[in-house]
Amino acid sequence: MIKFLRYVCFLLLAFSGLKIHAQSDTIVLKNQDKLVGEIKRMSKGVLTMETDYSDSDFEITWLEVLSMSSEQTYFVTLTKGYRFESKIRAEQNEHGVIYLKRVDTSWVKVPVQDVVEFKAVKSNFISRISTSISLGYNFTKSNNLSQFVVNGTLSYVGFKWEADATYNSVVSKQEDVSGTKRIDAGLNFRYFLERDWFLDSNASFLSNNQIDLDLRTNLRAGVGKYLVHNNSLYLGLGGGLAWNNEQYLTAQGADKNSFESYVGLEFNMFDMGDLDFFTRMLLYPSLTESGRLRSDITANLKYDLPLDLFIKIGFTYNYDNQPAEGFLKDDYVFNTTFGWEFN
């Protein structure tokens, strides 16, 4: 029994030592406020810090940090796609510099604006996962129209790659009118190369009875490059090849199986206070169907609220110049949802 108690005491002391070490990071803000805790990451222009004296993490605008000291090692991403493990010491004086120290090297001075993001190396699997869910509901009494919207995301960011899954559905019902149902989902994988190049692959699925589409399955793979990539926004351009399979709901539409090329543009601006704007535009010229051209556009404006809550306005547009016979060439969805995210 005595040996067991000694063992328990040893474990408690060991974990206490780990906790003390984890809470030894320090930041000083430009208003001279000082915080001591564990610096977890800096992403999208926001530094996240965990402290013993708060149940929730502190989120501080990166450019408001005057100085930072930490004994941890971080995965660091710089502009032009440079990625490596490094110690970090920040001194944002009038020149705005940050010091990085890679393994077995001396401290190197880097401009603050060149630091895109960094994350603690010891972060576990759960800490690298981000997820969100948002819901929306509309009802109009005059025509008994009801609409229910569900949006969900799940993402994981590693050192050299990232992956995410998305789900969006809009279901509308109206008295004496056939209901509408639109569901789209996607799986994305991106592998980062040097100098802001990346390999991109995606599987997307769309079902939409407004355009007679039972299921469209699109698999694409290609290469891209960030034209702009910093801690306030990024702009990426890419292209490649895609396989497209379509199954229709009625006999009016003949099922299709084709190959396409694609070009895509992706833009994300997040240095706007609590606002975050994201848009992706994809253009698909067909390689096997003469003259066919499709396009998909997505745009989201998100406003962050306290307690990890948010309001999001979303817009999705699909265009096909050769739709199923008797159906429109384009379709769009505009919705507002209220949600929660874990990051």
Side-chain angles (χ1 to χ4, degrees):
M1 183 67 179
I2 294 177
K3 287 184 177 180
F4 174 75
L5 290 175
R6 287 177 177 174
Y7 179 69
V8 171
C9 291
F10 173 78
L11 288 178
L12 290 174
L13 288 172
F15 281 114
S16 297
L18 288 175
K19 185 67 175 178
I20 291 171
H21 174 74
Q23 296 288 330
S24 63
D25 301 338
T26 303
I27 64 171
V28 178
L29 305 180
K30 289 183 177 180
N31 63 4
Q32 300 305 312
D33 285 349
K34 182 178 180 179
L35 296 175
V36 178
E38 180 186 3
I39 298 172
K40 299 168 69 174
R41 63 183 174 274
M42 189 283 287
S43 180
K44 296 184 176 180
V46 176
L47 184 143
T48 302
M49 188 176 201
E50 178 184 2
T51 67
D52 285 335
Y53 41 85
S54 176
D55 292 334
S56 58
D57 294 341
F58 281 96
E59 293 188 345
I60 305 106
T61 302
W62 171 235
L63 295 180
E64 291 300 315
V65 176
L66 181 66
S67 65
M68 162 187 163
S69 62
S70 173
E71 294 300 318
Q72 296 191 78
T73 300
Y74 298 88
F75 286 139
V76 180
T77 302
L78 301 181
T79 55
K80 299 184 179 179
Y82 297 115
R83 300 169 185 271
F84 47 80
E85 295 182 14
S86 173
K87 299 282 189 180
I88 296 179
R89 177 166 58 88
E91 295 180 6
Q92 295 195 33
N93 53 27
E94 65 274 11
H95 301 294
V97 298
I98 186 170
Y99 294 88
L100 305 178
K101 185 179 184 299
R102 301 175 66 175
V103 179
D104 299 327
T105 64
S106 57
W107 289 97
V108 177
K109 188 187 300 184
V110 176
V112 169
Q113 61 268 23
D114 287 356
V115 182
V116 176
E117 63 180 359
F118 56 79
K119 298 180 181 180
V121 171
K122 67 178 183 180
S123 296
N124 55 32
F125 178 82
I126 296 298
S127 67
R128 299 186 185 184
I129 291 179
S130 299
T131 185
S132 70
I133 183 169
S134 59
L135 307 173
Y137 180 76
N138 298 306
F139 178 76
T140 305
K141 176 62 177 176
S142 60
N143 55 5
N144 285 329
L145 171 65
S146 63
Q147 183 183 67
F148 186 61
V149 182
V150 178
N151 296 328
T153 65
L154 177 67
S155 62
Y156 178 89
V157 179
F159 181 39
K160 285 286 189 178
W161 59 275
E162 66 180 15
D164 66 75
T166 61
Y167 175 86
N168 305 285
S169 71
V170 179
V171 178
S172 299
K173 295 182 180 180
Q174 186 175 357
E175 188 176 314
D176 299 327
V177 177
S178 58
T180 64
K181 185 177 182 180
R182 185 188 190 282
I183 298 175
D184 71 83
L187 299 172
N188 307 284
F189 179 83
R190 181 166 292 179
Y191 185 82
F192 302 111
L193 305 173
E194 293 183 356
R195 298 185 179 277
D196 267 343
W197 288 89
F198 56 85
L199 301 178
D200 213 15
S201 61
N202 168 275
S204 62
F205 310 92
L206 173 64
S207 176
N208 188 349
N209 62 0
Q210 288 296 95
I211 55 175
D212 197 41
L213 193 61
D214 184 32
L215 179 64
R216 171 185 289 151
T217 302
N218 187 273
L219 306 178
R220 69 173 189 264
V223 64
K225 179 177 174 59
Y226 291 114
L227 305 179
V228 180
H229 193 192
N230 54 46
N231 55 31
S232 61
L233 63 89
Y234 72 76
L235 174 66
L237 180 66
L241 299 175
W243 174 74
N244 189 50
N245 178 267
E246 296 169 332
Q247 299 175 20
Y248 292 91
L249 290 166
T250 69
Q252 290 179 295
D255 293 351
K256 298 180 180 180
N257 189 27
S258 61
F259 286 95
E260 304 170 319
S261 60
Y262 80 88
V263 60
L265 183 70
E266 191 173 281
F267 176 74
N268 193 348
M269 177 178 289
F270 33 79
D271 188 19
M272 301 187 297
D274 292 323
L275 286 174
D276 186 330
F277 176 72
F278 171 82
T279 185
R280 178 187 291 125
M281 294 172 280
L282 292 163
L283 188 66
Y284 296 94
S286 180
L287 299 176
T288 56
E289 296 179 277
S290 178
R292 189 182 185 191
L293 181 68
R294 297 191 307 107
S295 66
D296 296 328
I297 299 174
T298 300
N300 293 313
L301 181 65
K302 183 166 72 74
Y303 181 76
D304 292 325
L305 300 170
L307 303 176
D308 293 326
L309 301 173
F310 64 87
I311 296 174
K312 184 170 68 174
I313 299 174
F315 174 77
T316 302
Y317 178 80
N318 304 111
Y319 172 80
D320 185 351
N321 69 346
Q322 295 181 13
E325 184 178 349
F327 287 84
L328 298 174
K329 293 183 178 181
D330 58 356
D331 180 64
Y332 64 89
V333 175
F334 180 86
N335 56 64
T336 302
T337 58
F338 175 79
W340 170 86
E341 62 184 342
F342 167 79
N343 191 339

